[in-house]
Amino acid sequence: MAALSSPFTDALAEQAASGNDGVYQAPPLVISGSRYQASGFDLPFSVDRIDAQQAILGKPGVNLSEALTGVPGLVVQNRGNYAQDLQVSSRGFGARAAFGIRGIKLLADGIPVSSPDGQGQAGTFDLDTLDHIEVLRGPFASVYGSNSGGVIQLFSRDGEGPARVSADTSVAAWGTTRNRLSAEGGNDKAGFLINQSHFETDGYRDHSSATLDKTFAKLTFYPDDDSKLALIFSDLNQNDTEDPQGLTWAQYQADRRAAAPSAVLYNTRKTIDHRQLGLNYQREFAAGTLEGTLYSGTRRVIQYQSIPAAVQANPNQSGGVIDFERTFYGGSTRWIQPFALEPGNLTLTAGLDYDFSRDDRQGYENFSGSQLGVRGDLRRDERDEIASIAPYLQLGWQLGKANLQAGLRYNEVAFDVEDHYLGNGDDSGDTRYRDLTPSIGASYALTPTLNIYGSWSEGLETPTLNELSYSGTDGGFGFGLEPASSEQFEVGVKTLLGTHTRLNAALFQIDTENELVVAEAAGGRTRYQNAGQTRRQGLELSLDSQLSDTLKARLAYTRLSAVYSKDFTSNGTTIEAGNRIPGVPATSLFGELSWTPLEGVSTAVEGIYRSKLYVEDSNIEKTAPSNTLFNWQARFEQKLERLTFNQVLRVDNLLDREYIGSIIVGDGNGRYYEPGPERAWYVGAGVEYRFD
């Protein structure tokens, strides 16, 4: 698809290209937010693009957290716990997730990685095949539907150029190893990309070992000059991943590497088998562009929890072993229609998204007689269906120095539960959430290198299936829960300082009604309620600068006030207006200085600061202290005819600080704290052979 340009985008590109090779380049094109290719500099919202070189070179390539630490507004907490995935929040959205990622839309090659209820897992992403990542924050995230407090999109590269094969291996602290094999190539008719990796670790903490096997394959076809078809397959196998759980503050002080005693007692663990197939199609016509996506897949999860056997004597208890098989599928289509008008260029996008998932879900006791941590009697048997449908319209108008964007999306999310009850009452039923979410924004070029902008939207966040499951008045399904609704404002500045430095700054405010908050957490189950009103106000700054031909600096700063703006009662305690929303740091800072003294030699040091974290709504319990970490890396590359060799050396937590890596918000047992690892080393080497 051709890029939409303007005199100001062209001026930026010309200015950036006017110097030598060390000159800072113009901002690249993105599609997030507008849905057509445009310069992120022109768009009236916060969107960042992270290319593969910046995201994964000199890094292990295992966790998405490696690529996202330098994005303002995002808080990425690596639990060091592969059974529960990363914890990611965007301007406070998603901070309460007890596992996985919620409140943020996750997409890979246009295919949702989030289920229709907004719950997603970053573990399925394959960073080895990455082309770039786009991160959208603020009002225009609502154009991606319900549960879109932010958007993270990964795009894999197409197989292009002469065929090549590569292999690499790495070893790291805590018995960690990773091996990878890859092959790719292509021409103007077709391309291929195949990647397979095996990762295993003993884990920094006790009872935290994990093994991950990933396979990714992509076939790209170009039937003619105007069309492109891509088939994408991915597979994740994660067997018996141990879950060390969180610690109380006293347990953390006694032994930061320990697992929770209950984790060892019940052998808490999780097995995941996830595979999916997707198809992307794009065709350009004289009048416009048609784009479509179809996908389908399966997911199997078996999880052993540490719910005490005595608690399961309650007939409403659904057991301590989760076992579900999920079938999911969906598709999207959109038509992008440009109009050449006087004055300006108008682009109209009309689309439809549909997503569906069905769970065959069972719950079992996690004991048999006196034996703990094994599958026992059946306690839960149900079928859960979630469907989401959303038509939308978006408008982009480049009008001289102004860029106008507007969107309107209709969201409908339906839950249907068929409960084959076993002594705990029949919780069968259904509920449906509907809403219109409008968005509008405008930017204006004061000069060819200085844009100001503002945007506004309304958003919707439905409860997830897990939040609904135990939120009824009797502990059953909470069909009465309402979605949270939000109103967002953002104003900002994007500027190119000379030809070497780019600066973005944004101020935002988010007001939310019917915030979903914890009503009660006991017996291994959390019940939610609509009781909170919140306000989030913040400042984001990002700076990229080419200091010299060999030296480059990056900086990302976030200041965020996230508070409850109305009193409510949780678990019998009054939560007062002004209390901080747990899991959201007031200050985050990232800085990186990279140096490339010679071709094929590079090194970088990065620093990360995060202020303290409140762990529950009353703000009474011990906060997770602020921390500052430094990491260092060096990478070397040599070319010998058709062979390219590389070596990587990395040290994380360079100063060996003790810190809390992430928290479990509102844990009913007070086990809020997940310790981060000590100083850790990583060594890797790889080779690539190119067929000319």
Side-chain angles (χ1 to χ4, degrees):
M1 190 190 314
L4 186 74
S5 64
S6 72
F8 310 101
T9 307
D10 297 340
L12 276 173
E14 182 179 352
Q15 184 180 26
S18 62
N20 57 32
D21 292 340
V23 170
Y24 186 83
Q25 297 299 308
L29 300 175
V30 295
I31 66 167
S32 296
S34 64
R35 296 188 188 271
Y36 60 82
Q37 284 188 330
S39 168
F41 184 82
D42 290 334
L43 296 171
F45 43 79
S46 294
V47 58
D48 287 84
R49 171 170 168 152
I50 305 103
D51 289 317
Q53 183 173 4
Q54 178 181 324
I56 61 177
L57 284 188
K59 301 172 183 177
V62 178
N63 293 303
L64 189 62
S65 57
E66 302 165 23
L68 297 181
T69 51
V71 179
L74 285 190
V75 177
V76 186
Q77 300 185 71
N78 188 346
R79 300 177 185 272
N81 180 350
Y82 291 93
Q84 302 296 347
D85 212 336
L86 300 176
Q87 188 179 74
V88 182
S89 64
S90 175
R91 296 184 176 178
F93 287 102
R96 74 172 183 275
F99 64 94
I101 298 172
R102 67 139 304 132
I104 301 174
K105 189 76 169 183
L106 304 177
L107 298 159
D109 291 313
I111 298 170
V113 182
S114 304
S115 61
D117 65 347
Q119 187 75 47
Q121 289 78 30
T124 58
F125 286 146
D126 192 326
L127 295 178
D128 295 327
T129 61
L130 184 67
D131 180 79
H132 70 279
I133 304 172
E134 294 180 12
V135 181
L136 173 65
R137 307 173 305 287
F140 270 76
S142 68
V143 303
Y144 289 86
S146 60
N147 303 292
S148 297
V151 179
I152 300 174
Q153 292 207 64
L154 274 74
F155 299 86
S156 63
R157 61 184 180 271
D158 296 332
E160 297 178 335
R164 53 196 183 276
V165 294
S166 62
D168 57 57
T169 186
S170 63
V171 294
W174 329 125
T176 303
T177 62
R178 186 170 187 265
N179 298 294
R180 183 185 69 90
L181 291 172
S182 179
E184 60 187 289
N187 53 33
D188 58 355
K189 295 298 182 183
F192 71 95
L193 171 60
I194 302 172
N195 188 80
Q196 201 281 330
S197 64
H198 174 81
F199 167 85
E200 59 183 72
T201 181
D202 293 336
Y204 166 67
R205 295 174 59 195
D206 297 340
H207 197 72
S208 63
S209 67
T211 301
L212 285 76
D213 288 286
K214 291 184 180 181
T215 302
F216 181 92
K218 182 177 183 180
L219 299 177
T220 309
F221 302 95
Y222 306 93
D224 52 51
D225 293 340
D226 298 319
S227 58
K228 175 183 175 181
L229 176 68
L231 293 172
I232 304 163
F233 171 79
S234 62
D235 180 89
L236 167 68
N237 290 301
Q238 188 174 332
N239 295 321
D240 286 333
T241 299
E242 294 178 334
D243 182 358
Q245 301 184 327
L247 300 177
T248 66
W249 186 252
Q251 290 169 340
Y252 165 70
Q253 289 183 306
D255 183 0
R256 59 197 297 249
R257 297 190 62 178
S262 58
V264 178
L265 184 65
Y266 284 89
N267 189 20
T268 51
R269 61 199 186 276
K270 180 188 284 187
T271 292
I272 301 172
D273 290 305
H274 181 106
R275 58 187 54 85
Q276 67 182 48
L277 179 67
L279 180 150
N280 287 332
Y281 179 73
Q282 176 181 304
R283 182 173 179 81
E284 295 185 4
F285 298 87
T289 301
L290 174 67
E291 296 181 354
T293 297
L294 294 173
Y295 70 91
S296 180
T298 60
R299 183 178 180 87
R300 175 77 185 274
V301 173
I302 303 172
Q303 181 179 5
Y304 287 78
Q305 301 176 300
S306 61
I307 298 172
V311 172
Q312 295 173 62
N314 185 336
N316 290 328
Q317 245 292 332
S318 58
V321 180
I322 297 171
D323 185 349
F324 73 81
E325 295 184 62
R326 175 175 299 163
T327 301
F328 59 92
Y329 56 83
S332 64
T333 183
R334 62 177 174 262
W335 178 264
I336 303 172
Q337 179 66 61
F339 297 94
L341 302 177
E342 288 296 337
N345 297 311
L346 182 69
T347 302
L348 178 66
T349 303
L352 177 70
D353 295 337
Y354 175 76
D355 304 293
F356 176 86
S357 71
R358 185 179 192 273
D359 289 359
D360 184 358
R361 184 179 294 263
Q362 283 79 42
Y364 299 87
E365 293 174 345
N366 58 358
F367 60 91
S368 179
S370 61
Q371 189 175 5
L372 304 180
V374 297
R375 179 177 300 196
D377 293 337
L378 182 68
R379 297 294 298 271
R380 178 184 187 183
D381 187 14
E382 68 184 46
R383 312 295 177 266
D384 306 313
E385 292 186 356
I386 313 171
S388 171
I389 188 166
Y392 61 87
L393 287 171
Q394 288 184 239
L395 179 70
W397 194 3
Q398 187 75 46
L399 185 63
K401 296 182 179 182
N403 185 306
L404 307 178
Q405 297 282 332
L408 182 64
R409 182 180 178 109
Y410 172 77
N411 305 283
E412 181 172 314
V413 183
F415 294 81
D416 192 324
V417 175
E418 180 185 337
D419 181 18
H420 299 262
Y421 61 95
L422 297 171
N424 63 335
D426 188 348
D427 290 327
S428 298
D430 60 78
T431 189
R432 191 176 302 264
Y433 303 105
R434 302 183 182 94
D435 203 4
L436 279 171
T437 52
S439 54
I440 189 169
S443 65
Y444 186 80
L446 295 175
T447 73
T449 58
L450 175 62
N451 271 8
I452 59 173
Y453 70 89
S455 55
W456 166 90
S457 78
E458 292 181 348
L460 178 75
E461 185 175 10
T462 69
T464 66
L465 180 66
N466 283 288
E467 289 169 341
L468 288 167
S469 292
Y470 311 106
S471 296
T473 54
D474 60 351
F477 211 83
F479 292 108
L481 276 184
E482 296 292 330
S485 59
S486 61
E487 184 177 24
Q488 298 198 46
F489 300 89
E490 179 180 338
V491 295
V493 175
K494 301 178 183 182
T495 183
L496 188 64
L497 304 175
T499 57
H500 297 77
T501 303
R502 177 166 59 94
L503 172 68
N504 292 343
L507 290 167
F508 59 88
Q509 177 173 302
I510 307 167
D511 290 304
T512 303
E513 299 282 343
N514 279 330
E515 185 84 45
L516 288 159
V517 299
V518 174
E520 183 182 24
R525 298 290 181 248
T526 302
R527 186 168 63 86
Y528 292 85
Q529 63 178 343
N530 295 109
Q533 295 181 6
T534 63
R535 168 164 287 186
R536 302 176 178 98
Q537 296 176 309
L539 165 68
E540 293 174 2
L541 292 172
S542 65
L543 181 75
D544 287 86
S545 183
Q546 190 77 45
L547 301 176
S548 70
D549 289 352
T550 60
L551 202 60
K552 185 176 181 179
R554 290 196 299 141
L555 182 72
Y557 171 78
T558 305
R559 180 69 180 178
L560 176 58
S561 170
V563 300
Y564 292 109
S565 50
K566 183 180 179 180
D567 293 353
F568 66 94
T569 301
S570 172
N571 210 13
T573 301
T574 298
I575 307 302
E576 298 181 353
N579 277 19
R580 296 279 183 171
I581 299 175
V584 182
T587 304
S588 300
L589 179 64
F590 168 86
E592 181 185 63
L593 187 65
S594 57
W595 183 42
T596 309
L598 301 169
E599 183 178 358
V601 178
S602 64
T603 186
V605 62
E606 61 184 31
I608 304 168
Y609 169 79
R610 187 195 70 194
S611 61
K612 67 181 181 181
L613 291 175
Y614 291 95
V615 298
E616 42 76 48
D617 290 327
S618 72
N619 294 175
I620 295 174
E621 297 292 337
K622 170 68 178 178
T623 59
S626 62
N627 62 74
T628 303
L629 303 176
F630 291 94
N631 308 315
W632 170 82
Q633 68 179 46
R635 188 176 188 276
F636 309 92
E637 185 176 284
Q638 308 87 35
K639 294 185 178 181
L640 180 63
E641 296 181 347
R642 298 181 181 181
L643 290 169
T644 301
F645 301 91
N646 71 79
Q647 305 84 37
V648 175
L649 175 62
R650 182 178 177 89
V651 181
D652 289 323
N653 193 2
L654 196 61
L655 302 182
D656 199 20
R657 301 296 191 191
E658 292 190 7
Y659 69 103
I660 300 297
S662 64
I663 65 165
I664 303 170
V665 172
D667 184 82
N669 298 300
R671 298 194 298 255
Y672 307 112
Y673 314 97
E674 295 183 292
E678 304 166 5
R679 182 189 296 121
W681 55 269
Y682 165 88
V683 178
V687 60
E688 178 183 274
Y689 181 84
R690 182 182 298 266
F691 299 87
D692 293 332

